[in-house]
Amino acid sequence: MSVQERKQRERAERERLIVATARELAEEQGWDAVTTRRLAERIEYSQPVLYSHFRGKREIIGAVALQGAAELAAELRAASAATEGARGRVTALARAYLDFAERNPAVYDAMFQLDGGLAFAADDTPEALKDGFAALLETLRDVAGEGVEPGLFTEVFWASLHGLATLTRAGRLPVGDAEARVALLVARLAVV
């Protein structure tokens, strides 16, 4: 292995460590606790090393969001693929989405609530975000209904899931009714 390849590998490993540590700290204490000073202390690198990877907290949030989008896409696809029938796939997709949001609140915030400097629904949208939407669309296109544009239907279904996730987490909706909400969402929106 050449010196340059080794340095590139070490740089990538440091970047993964920074993102993992930021994510861990945010899940433990919230995003306000994620500062370059705290990250530098936790990973035992200087702040200038962090700044050589990320220009600041905003870019770190963006990196966590991209990682989260990739994980969410994989979970949605796995849930959908493991279930028979259109209604079952859509229900599994909705449950997987809501479960991800509940298990990973700081990552979910990085993806959808905080400014990570990422463009959504634009030409320069990062591939991980496009793939996250594609994971929804792959299952939902078949249940959009006749004459309904599948992308638009997916946006509305996604917005419904996002609303359920954020309202439940904020204590605005009772946790115990989650299954009934998913069943109602699938029954009323999906044509199965």
Side-chain angles (χ1 to χ4, degrees):
M1 174 182 302
S2 73
V3 172
Q4 183 178 3
E5 289 172 331
R6 181 181 53 78
K7 285 183 178 186
Q8 287 175 338
R9 187 184 76 233
E10 289 171 354
R11 180 173 176 75
E13 288 172 9
R14 272 192 316 270
E15 192 166 303
R16 278 191 295 278
L17 179 61
I18 294 166
V19 171
T21 304
R23 182 175 174 164
E24 180 182 296
L25 187 57
E27 291 292 359
E28 290 171 0
Q29 301 176 31
W31 278 103
D32 287 342
V34 179
T35 64
T36 54
R37 184 185 336 189
R38 284 182 120 173
L39 286 174
E41 288 171 4
R42 277 209 178 186
I43 65 173
E44 299 178 345
Y45 283 104
S46 67
Q47 284 181 302
V49 170
L50 266 79
Y51 284 116
S52 74
H53 290 274
F54 300 99
R55 287 182 284 199
K57 184 175 175 177
R58 181 178 186 221
E59 284 189 6
I60 293 169
I61 290 170
V64 170
L66 293 176
Q67 187 181 72
E71 291 171 11
L72 177 59
E75 288 186 28
L76 294 176
R77 286 187 174 105
S80 197
T83 308
E84 295 291 323
R87 181 179 298 276
R89 284 191 299 279
V90 174
T91 300
L93 175 99
R95 284 184 185 138
Y97 185 97
L98 295 172
D99 288 347
F100 179 89
E102 182 180 350
R103 279 191 333 273
N104 304 285
V107 174
Y108 194 81
D109 285 349
M111 293 167 63
F112 301 118
Q113 304 290 92
L114 302 174
D115 179 9
L118 304 174
F120 281 80
D123 291 337
D124 61 342
T125 298
E127 287 305 312
L129 298 180
K130 289 179 184 178
D131 190 50
F133 185 79
L136 291 165
L137 180 62
E138 290 162 9
T139 296
L140 296 173
R141 77 167 31 109
D142 297 333
V143 298
E146 190 173 323
V148 177
E149 200 280 311
L152 184 62
F153 177 78
T154 300
E155 290 171 354
V156 171
F157 199 91
W158 173 29
S160 298
L161 290 174
H162 177 71
L164 290 174
T166 56
L167 290 170
T168 301
R169 183 167 150 210
R172 304 297 196 271
L173 298 175
V175 177
D177 294 334
E179 285 299 316
R181 285 187 202 96
V182 168
L184 182 61
L185 179 65
V186 172
R188 298 294 184 193
L189 286 184
V191 179
V192 287

